[in-house]
Amino acid sequence: MREAITLKEAAQESVRERSEELLAVSHTISANPELSMQEFASSALLVDAVASLTGVTAQTGTGGLETAFQATAGSGELKLTICAEYDALPVVGHGCGHNIIATAALGAFVALAPLADELGMTVRLLGTPAEENGGGKVKLLDAGAFEGTHAAIMVHPAPLDNVSMNPYASNGLKVRFIGKEAHASLAPHEGVNALDALTVAMTAVGLARQQLKPGQQIHSSISEAGGAPNVIPGTAAAMWMVRGDSLDSLEEVTQVVERCINAGALAAACEVTIEKKTKGCYSNILLDHELIELYRENALHIGRTPADIAPLGGSTDMGNVSLVVPSIHPMIGLNNPELTLHTAEFAAAAAGPAGDAAALDGAILLAQTAIDIATTAKVRERLLGSNPLAQTQ
């Protein structure tokens, strides 16, 4: 096998040679945002790009998800999975820059495919839909799509570089209050006001925030709040998102929100239904510091200077993957501290020159980190010696 530095140079050259095709993928995904589990065009675009750039035919419908796919190169004993995300957000489109994630993952696969057997690796590009709200990776884990994987890697865009994201564990609650409609003037006493229940619940949650522990958060949005003002609302609905810095912390704050919701129902004499994502809960990340340091060294070598692990913030289903497969989730910067994720401004930047640089650098860094994983004896031996999908937090 050639020296690691030579293989890294070859990987970088592959990405640079294919930069025009790769950036065309990024720009197309950005310009055509698709919501979670609806990423039909983006998924098809990536599958076609894999075939045209590597000659590998991707398999679609991975794990029973229509917009998931996988493409594999090499047959070595060390199995590496590169995760691609490509779903967008409502209103702001690719305000989380998933066009960069998908392009970096594709570029890394393009660079590694011809090197996989020389590295003694099986390299897989895994298209993972619905990161924003659908828990695509959680569903893929449940379906066995990560079985046999020794390490999973991806990059995520951000305003600035960090060696790793530091996400909250999170969950969502869909809540519906059911009361009874009545004429608000002629017979208000015959109604049961579901909006009152929601108002009490929102107020209770607002007050409860004072007693939350550090590392706990609650967010909400109202999806239904009655119609005409002269009708007592018979139904009202909202969504809550809860976060904690660990799964135990998440459970604590979830119980707080549920108490507040039930208090609103009790106060207004309404019925209430609470739907939790029992299998869609996102975990915090289990950091693999050895893999993180490999990424950091490569980032420094190509001229990026990532800060340490990012402050606690956001959530991702890559956290669930990290609990069972050694993983990295570095943040690759657009070199603009004024940017904020989940905004139209970030979406625009992610499709501009800074986003293009992040996509190509991300591809190079993933490929070079994979080469280090394969050629660093102690890392390779640890991963091969571990029991994939059997790690505990």
Side-chain angles (χ1 to χ4, degrees):
M1 183 171 64
R2 289 174 287 175
E3 293 184 355
I5 185 64
T6 303
L7 294 168
K8 288 183 183 183
E9 290 171 353
Q12 180 166 324
E13 185 61 25
S14 291
V15 173
R16 297 301 182 197
E17 286 179 352
R18 298 292 194 174
S19 61
E20 185 175 342
E21 296 98 320
L22 292 171
L23 293 180
V25 169
S26 178
H27 297 161
T28 301
I29 292 175
S30 175
N32 300 278
E34 298 170 298
L35 301 182
S36 297
M37 296 299 182
Q38 301 298 314
E39 317 96 324
F40 297 104
S42 297
S43 177
L45 175 67
L46 289 163
V47 167
D48 289 345
V50 168
S52 66
L53 294 174
T54 68
V56 174
T57 300
Q59 298 175 326
T60 58
T62 303
L65 304 182
E66 283 188 88
T67 55
F69 68 88
Q70 58 181 326
T72 303
S75 57
E77 62 175 344
L78 183 64
K79 297 176 176 60
L80 177 80
T81 293
I82 309 168
C83 294
E85 297 173 5
Y86 34 89
D87 60 320
L89 291 157
V91 183
V92 297
H94 278 289
C96 206
H98 287 194
N99 58 301
I100 293 175
I101 298 174
T103 303
L106 172 64
F109 183 77
V110 168
L112 290 170
L115 306 177
D117 283 325
E118 185 174 0
L119 290 164
M121 299 180 78
T122 299
V123 180
R124 182 176 60 154
L125 174 64
L126 182 62
T128 62
E131 185 275 337
E132 290 297 351
N133 292 299
K137 294 185 192 66
V138 180
K139 293 179 172 66
L140 289 170
L141 279 166
D142 289 343
F146 283 89
E147 197 154 343
T149 297
H150 294 101
I153 63 176
M154 63 172 288
V155 292
H156 195 298
L160 300 171
D161 287 270
N162 288 91
V163 293
S164 179
M165 184 183 183
N166 185 19
Y168 287 94
S170 69
N171 204 349
L173 292 83
K174 289 185 177 180
V175 179
R176 188 172 183 82
F177 296 98
I178 304 168
K180 180 182 177 183
E181 292 181 349
H183 196 294
S185 177
L186 294 177
H189 54 282
E190 294 181 4
V192 178
N193 197 318
L195 182 55
D196 285 354
L198 176 55
T199 300
V200 171
M202 297 285 282
T203 303
V205 169
L207 293 171
R209 284 191 175 95
Q210 300 173 91
Q211 276 73 50
L212 292 181
K213 295 179 180 178
Q216 294 178 333
Q217 294 182 337
I218 305 170
H219 325 294
S220 62
S221 66
I222 297 172
S223 52
E224 183 182 347
N230 58 345
V231 178
I232 299 294
T235 56
M239 293 181 289
W240 271 271
M241 187 173 189
V242 290
R243 304 187 202 251
D245 55 11
S246 68
L247 289 173
D248 288 342
S249 176
L250 174 64
E251 179 57 28
E252 288 178 359
V253 71
T254 300
Q255 290 178 9
V256 170
V257 173
E258 288 186 285
R259 288 200 305 267
C260 294
I261 292 166
N262 286 318
L266 178 64
C270 283
E271 296 179 10
V272 63
T273 60
I274 303 174
E275 180 186 338
K276 284 195 294 185
K277 295 179 181 178
T278 54
K279 285 194 173 182
C281 170
Y282 286 10
S283 171
N284 54 299
I285 274 185
L286 180 60
L287 298 171
D288 191 305
H289 293 281
E290 194 169 40
L291 300 187
I292 287 172
E293 288 308 310
L294 294 180
Y295 176 88
R296 187 201 302 269
E297 291 171 10
N298 285 301
L300 292 171
H301 184 72
I302 70 166
R304 287 186 175 263
T305 54
D308 206 3
I309 296 162
L312 190 63
S315 298
T316 175
D317 53 6
M318 193 66 175
N320 301 65
V321 175
S322 77
L323 297 187
V324 291
V325 177
S327 304
I328 58 168
H329 190 288
M331 309 298 282
I332 190 153
L334 272 58
N335 198 31
N336 184 351
E338 302 301 317
L339 288 173
T340 301
L341 284 162
H342 288 203
T343 63
E345 291 77 13
F346 194 91
D356 291 351
L360 297 178
D361 283 356
I364 292 166
L365 290 175
L366 287 178
Q368 292 184 340
T369 301
I371 290 167
D372 279 335
I373 289 171
T375 58
T376 305
K378 66 175 183 175
V379 176
R380 184 184 182 99
E381 290 168 7
R382 172 172 72 89
L383 297 179
L384 287 173
S386 67
N387 182 12
L389 296 182
Q391 283 191 267
T392 55
Q393 188 176 16

